[in-house]
């Protein structure tokens, strides 16, 4: 008797469950996206195809409800080999985020403000006339790099007063290049130099130098902003530039000094010693790697 009761309970339970399941499936079939899918592929509502693929249809409707809250991956019904499948594709917002992440990886920065990612060449061009030469030079680089003949294309050395938009222009060039799928590293040189000194302690100097010297396009921002020690000048900057010269890797610079004045600046080390020959060696490399362009115009820092 007991067994029979248990069996009965199970049957009732099963039956109700089936009914519940049936209801879910019926409402899934009424879903407008399912309906239009069935119409598109001319699948009759009561057909064997539907019966065979109820699980996919149910999964689709269920996932659609979920995606409504989480956003990221949108389910789609697809018709492959006479069978209904659910495929998940990233929605527009997720695709946009993935794109951004991709570009963020291509555009690396060291010690730069995060707004560099917003800089654009078009906006730079909106500035004063003093920027025209730099804008043209930037466009020229962006449109010729990489040279298919394998010929070396020098980067730019942007010289100009404080606030004229040199850093902004480097960032704008970088953004343009990463959108053409090139890798760029933009480094705030004075801060980087301090970090390198600290890196002596944990023996990571060489590793860091190797890492930055080999990037396809390197940009050193604000060169000459601080007095450099002989060590930073010769063993860090000098080594990086030497490598890039040998490998013919375009390198960009920005500085408040013209090349002529940077030479004088580099000739005096932090302790005040005169080292003109060492400075000349650095300048030789910079002149090989980049061509000087003067950026002029109003100080943009006070416009904000
Ligand atoms: P520099 O490096 O020559 O000292 P910056 O590139 O830092 O000058 O520019 C100074 C300020 O002006 C920054 O806040 C920068 O974001 C802003 N700026 C420069 N050029 C533009 C531009 N074309 N559009 C919008 N902001 C700009
Ligand atoms: Mg700057």
């Amino acid at each position: 008797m007991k067994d029979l009761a248990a069996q009965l309970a199970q049957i009732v339970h099963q039956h109700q469950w089936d009914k519940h399941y049936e209801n879910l499936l019926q409402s899934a079939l009424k879903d407008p996206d399912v309906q239009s899918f069935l119409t598109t592929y001319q699948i009759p509502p009561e057909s064997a195809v539907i019966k065979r693929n109820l699980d996919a249809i149910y999964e689709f409707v269920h996932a659609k409800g979920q995606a409504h809250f989480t956003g990221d991956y949108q389910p789609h019904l697809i018709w492959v080999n006479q069978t209904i499948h659910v495929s998940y594709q990233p929605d527009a917002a997720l695709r946009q985020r993935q794109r951004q992440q991709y570009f963020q990886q291509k555009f690396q920065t060291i010690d730069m403000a995060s707004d560099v990612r917003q800089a654009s060449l078009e906006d730079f061009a909106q500035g004063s006339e003093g920027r025209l030469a730099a804008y043209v030079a930037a466009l020229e680089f962006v449109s010729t790099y990489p040279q298919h003949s394998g010929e070396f294309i020098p980067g730019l050395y942007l010289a100009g007063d404080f606030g004229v938009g040199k850093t902004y222009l480097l960032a704008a060039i970088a953004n343009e290049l990463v959108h053409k799928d090139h890798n760029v590293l933009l480094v705030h040189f004075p801060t980087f130099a301090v970090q390198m000194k600290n890196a002596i302690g944990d023996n990571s100097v060489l590793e860091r130098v190797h890492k930055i010297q080999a990037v396809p396009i390197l940009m050193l921002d604000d060169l000459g902003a601080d007095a450099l020690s002989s060590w930073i000048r010769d063993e860090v900057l000098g080594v990086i530039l030497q490598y890039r010269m040998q490998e013919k890797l375009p390198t960009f610079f920005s500085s408040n000094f013209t090349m002529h004045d940077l030479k004088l600046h580099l000739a005096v080390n932090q302790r005040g010693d005169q080292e003109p020959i060492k400075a000349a060696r650095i300048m030789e490399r910079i002149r090989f790697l980049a061509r000087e362009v003067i950026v002029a115009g109003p100080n943009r820092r006070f416009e904000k």
Side-chain angles (χ1 to χ4, degrees):
M1 250 342 246
K2 195 171 163 246
D3 274 0
L4 198 61
Q7 250 177 328
L8 191 63
Q10 201 187 346
I11 288 165
V12 169
H13 181 256
Q14 177 93 39
H15 178 73
Q16 278 176 349
W17 191 81
D18 282 351
K19 220 172 135 186
H20 177 64
Y21 186 63
E22 179 68 24
N23 284 342
L24 284 177
L25 289 175
Q26 284 311 321
S27 65
L29 284 172
K30 287 197 197 105
D31 178 275
D33 290 331
V34 173
Q35 293 270 323
S36 79
F37 173 82
L38 297 178
T39 314
T40 307
Y41 293 100
Q42 300 180 342
I43 304 168
E46 297 292 329
S47 63
V49 173
I50 301 261
K51 292 210 173 71
R52 263 192 282 118
N53 291 283
L54 279 174
D55 51 345
I57 294 172
Y58 178 66
E59 179 189 334
F60 167 73
V61 176
H62 180 71
K64 209 172 77 157
Q66 300 278 351
H68 184 68
F69 296 106
T70 59
D72 297 351
Y73 285 86
Q74 295 292 338
H76 297 271
L77 287 174
I78 50 174
W79 182 232
V80 187
N81 293 334
Q82 303 292 307
T83 312
I84 301 172
H85 295 268
V86 187
S87 117
Y88 292 87
Q89 280 149 21
D91 75 348
L94 177 66
R95 274 204 302 274
Q96 173 67 16
R97 271 205 305 285
Q98 286 173 335
R99 237 173 96 85
Q100 257 168 10
Q101 273 168 9
Y102 178 73
F103 289 130
Q104 247 165 37
Q105 283 164 6
K106 301 219 131 236
F107 184 5
Q108 306 254 356
T109 61
I110 299 181
D111 303 313
M112 300 297 301
S114 60
D115 63 0
V116 293
R117 296 183 187 280
Q118 263 80 56
S120 80
L121 272 184
E122 263 165 55
D123 281 352
F124 182 81
Q126 303 306 316
S128 61
E129 240 173 77
R131 299 174 151 206
L132 196 61
Y135 175 66
V136 171
L139 274 189
E140 221 175 289
F141 182 89
V142 168
S143 58
T144 45
Y145 180 81
Q147 190 86 288
H148 293 296
S149 57
E151 213 178 291
F152 172 66
I153 316 175
L156 302 177
Y157 178 102
L158 305 177
D161 292 338
F162 180 81
V164 292
K166 302 180 299 293
T167 300
Y168 188 93
L169 179 56
L170 287 183
I173 296 170
N175 278 315
E176 199 72 36
L177 290 169
V178 296
H179 281 87
K180 293 175 95 186
D181 229 10
H182 304 301
N183 290 281
V184 182
L185 172 64
L186 173 58
V187 182
H188 185 244
F189 193 76
T191 318
F192 170 75
V194 172
Q195 281 188 357
M196 289 305 280
K197 259 187 226 154
N198 299 335
I200 300 174
D202 60 21
N203 278 323
S204 59
V205 171
L206 274 184
E207 186 193 322
R208 285 171 194 234
V209 167
H210 287 163
K211 213 164 158 185
I212 81 160
Q213 73 184 3
V215 294
I217 294 170
L218 176 65
M219 299 179 161
L220 301 179
D221 188 35
D222 238 350
L223 199 59
D226 293 328
L228 295 182
S229 67
S230 303
W231 179 74
I232 291 284
R233 182 193 58 204
D234 304 329
E235 305 305 322
V236 176
L237 182 61
V239 168
I240 291 171
L241 299 184
Q242 174 68 26
Y243 179 89
R244 297 192 69 80
M245 210 167 112
Q246 275 166 5
E247 301 296 321
K248 300 200 166 54
L249 296 168
T251 309
F252 287 72
F253 305 86
S254 89
S255 180
N256 288 0
F257 290 120
T258 59
M259 281 190 180
H260 174 267
D261 292 345
L262 183 68
K263 185 174 180 177
L264 304 177
H265 175 81
L266 289 176
V268 187
N269 73 6
Q270 240 172 2
R271 283 180 296 159
D273 309 324
Q274 290 285 340
E275 300 176 315
I277 297 181
K278 298 226 164 130
R281 287 189 63 196
I282 299 283
M283 287 316 298
E284 222 173 81
R285 294 170 193 167
I286 293 178
R287 281 182 204 281
F288 175 88
L289 289 166
R291 123 182 124 79
E292 182 172 30
V293 184
I294 307 294
V295 189
N299 186 340
R300 299 279 307 226
R301 293 192 196 204
F302 301 123
E303 287 176 15
K304 293 208 160 176

